[in-house]
């Protein structure tokens, strides 16, 4: 079900948009630091890029992306304890389930909409929301960590 969306060809087709997301994030970092202010690279660079790419890949509406960005940041913040992280995961899955329900009526161009068009009633809302959450989780934390560590290495 997911394989066709992660082939070399499919990823190459997304490459121009990913480059644009990276350029936008770098422009934001430059703008935020233009007056000499300290810029949180974790928030404005390392987290922003993969979360935007994944949200677009999934087909999440622009209006919901800020909430997903907030949940993405909270998801791996264990300072508030494991239960807070688990609550955030559940909140994210609930939001994804709403996205799936909306796209079941009007499928979008992203992964969620494509799966609904291709598989329809063969996949349930909870199942697809969980699958989308797996894509979010699998692609987010590792990429955020590598971007943050890469930025630190370059700065040093």
């Amino acid at each position: 079900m997911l394989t066709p969306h992660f082939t070399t060809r499919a990823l190459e087709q997304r490459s121009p948009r990913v480059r644009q997301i990276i350029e936008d994030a770098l422009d934001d970092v430059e703008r935020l630091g233009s007056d000499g202010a300290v810029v949180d690279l974790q928030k404005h660079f390392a987290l922003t890029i993969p979360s935007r790419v994944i949200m677009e890949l999934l087909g999440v509406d622009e209006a919901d992306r800020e909430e997903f960005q907030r949940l993405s940041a909270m998801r791996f913040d264990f300072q508030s304890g494991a239960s807070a992280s688990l609550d955030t995961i559940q909140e994210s899955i609930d939001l994804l389930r709403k996205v799936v329900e909306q796209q079941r009526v009007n499928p979008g161009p992203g992964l969620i909409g494509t799966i609904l068009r291709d598989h329809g009633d063969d996949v349930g809302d909870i199942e697809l929301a969980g699958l989308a959450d797996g894509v979010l989780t699998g692609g987010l934390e590792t990429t955020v960590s590598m971007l943050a560590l890469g930025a630190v290495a370059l700065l040093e």
Side-chain angles (χ1 to χ4, degrees), residues 1-57:
M1 193 178 305
L2 290 178
T3 303
H5 304 280
F6 294 97
T7 63
T8 302
R9 185 173 185 213
L11 296 174
E12 284 174 358
Q13 290 174 343
R14 286 190 196 92
S15 183
R17 182 61 189 137
V18 171
R19 281 190 185 95
Q20 185 61 55
I21 289 170
I22 293 167
E23 288 175 18
D24 291 348
L26 290 171
D27 289 346
D28 286 345
V29 167
E30 182 179 18
R31 182 183 47 76
L32 291 168
S34 65
D35 63 353
V38 175
V39 178
D40 183 345
L41 290 178
Q42 172 78 9
K43 177 181 178 183
H44 297 287
F45 178 75
L47 178 63
T48 297
I49 293 168
S51 65
R52 284 184 184 168
V53 169
I54 293 168
M55 291 300 104
E56 286 191 18
L57 170 71

Side-chain angles (χ1 to χ4, degrees), residues 41-154:
L41 290 178
Q42 172 78 9
K43 177 181 178 183
H44 297 287
F45 178 75
L47 178 63
T48 297
I49 293 168
S51 65
R52 284 184 184 168
V53 169
I54 293 168
M55 291 300 104
E56 286 191 18
L57 170 71
L58 292 173
V60 173
D61 285 336
E62 185 73 35
D64 293 328
R65 290 184 189 163
E66 188 172 314
E67 180 63 8
F68 273 108
Q69 182 102 8
R70 182 187 70 79
L71 292 170
S72 295
M74 291 174 54
R75 180 179 210 120
F76 298 103
D77 179 6
F78 299 109
Q79 292 179 3
S80 300
S83 65
S85 181
L86 291 174
D87 290 344
T88 300
I89 291 168
Q90 186 58 55
E91 194 175 342
S92 181
I93 291 172
D94 290 344
L95 188 53
L96 282 166
R97 201 163 82 220
K98 288 178 186 173
V99 170
V100 170
E101 290 169 0
Q102 292 168 348
Q103 290 203 25
R104 189 168 291 282
V105 174
N106 186 21
L111 182 66
I112 293 170
T114 302
I115 290 172
L116 288 169
R117 276 191 299 280
D118 293 348
H119 300 280
D121 292 334
D122 292 340
V123 61
D125 292 359
I126 294 172
E127 180 183 11
L128 186 49
L131 184 71
D133 187 65
V135 170
L136 175 65
T137 304
L140 187 66
E141 181 57 21
T142 54
T143 309
V144 170
S145 296
M146 290 308 298
L147 287 172
L149 290 171
V152 168
L154 287 172

